[in-house]
């Protein structure tokens, strides 16, 4: 899923796995990456059935009761923005 120059989906997943505090709970080799934060579901990926590409459902709000928010991850810029937002959220969660 590389788009020429910039961050590929593989690069994004590697970067997410490297974030201290995120736990990769992906079931198997063929499953889409799935991450927990503080023992609660935090981020997983979907393909848009309308053909819009790949997006992540991510809980960037408060706690376990927060709804998932779709964040596009189809282009290198979208993946970099998603990674930036996740890093920022995890840093804030670590201070609590």
């Amino acid at each position: 899923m590389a788009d020429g120059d910039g961050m590929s989906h593989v690069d994004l997943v590697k970067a997410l796995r490297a974030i201290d505090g995120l736990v990769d709970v992906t079931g198997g080799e063929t499953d889409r990456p799935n991450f927990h934060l503080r023992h609660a579901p935090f981020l997983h990926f979907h393909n848009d059935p309308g053909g819009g590409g790949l997006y992540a459902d991510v809980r960037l709000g408060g706690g376990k009761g927060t709804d998932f928010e779709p964040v596009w991850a189809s282009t290198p810029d979208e993946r970099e923005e998603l990674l930036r937002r996740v890093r920022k959220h995890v840093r804030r969660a670590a201070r609590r």
Side-chain angles (χ1 to χ4, degrees), residues 1 3 9-10 14 18 20 24-25 30 36 40 45 52 54 57-58 60 62 65 67 69 72 74 82-84 88 90:
M1 281 191 194
D3 297 71
H9 180 70
V10 171
K14 284 181 185 177
D20 193 30
D24 185 352
V25 296
T30 59
H36 282 194
F45 292 94
L54 186 72
D57 267 339
V58 61
L60 293 169
D67 286 338
E69 169 188 344
W72 288 107
S74 292
L82 171 61
L83 181 60
R84 184 193 67 73
K88 182 178 178 181
V90 172

Side-chain angles (χ1 to χ4, degrees), residues 59-66 89 93 96:
R59 284 187 167 143
L60 293 169
K64 290 181 182 179
T66 304
H89 179 83
R96 292 183 202 156

Side-chain angles (χ1 to χ4, degrees), residues 1-56:
M1 281 191 194
D3 297 71
D5 293 330
M7 180 179 282
S8 69
H9 180 70
V10 171
D11 294 336
L12 171 61
V13 172
K14 284 181 185 177
L16 290 169
R17 288 180 175 143
I19 295 174
D20 193 30
L22 281 187
V23 178
D24 185 352
V25 296
T26 306
E29 277 294 309
T30 59
D31 292 341
R32 288 192 185 105
N34 187 342
F35 294 89
H36 282 194
L37 177 63
R38 293 186 167 183
H39 307 288
F42 176 69
L43 184 150
H44 56 274
F45 292 94
H46 296 278
N47 282 315
D48 177 27
L54 186 72
Y55 67 95

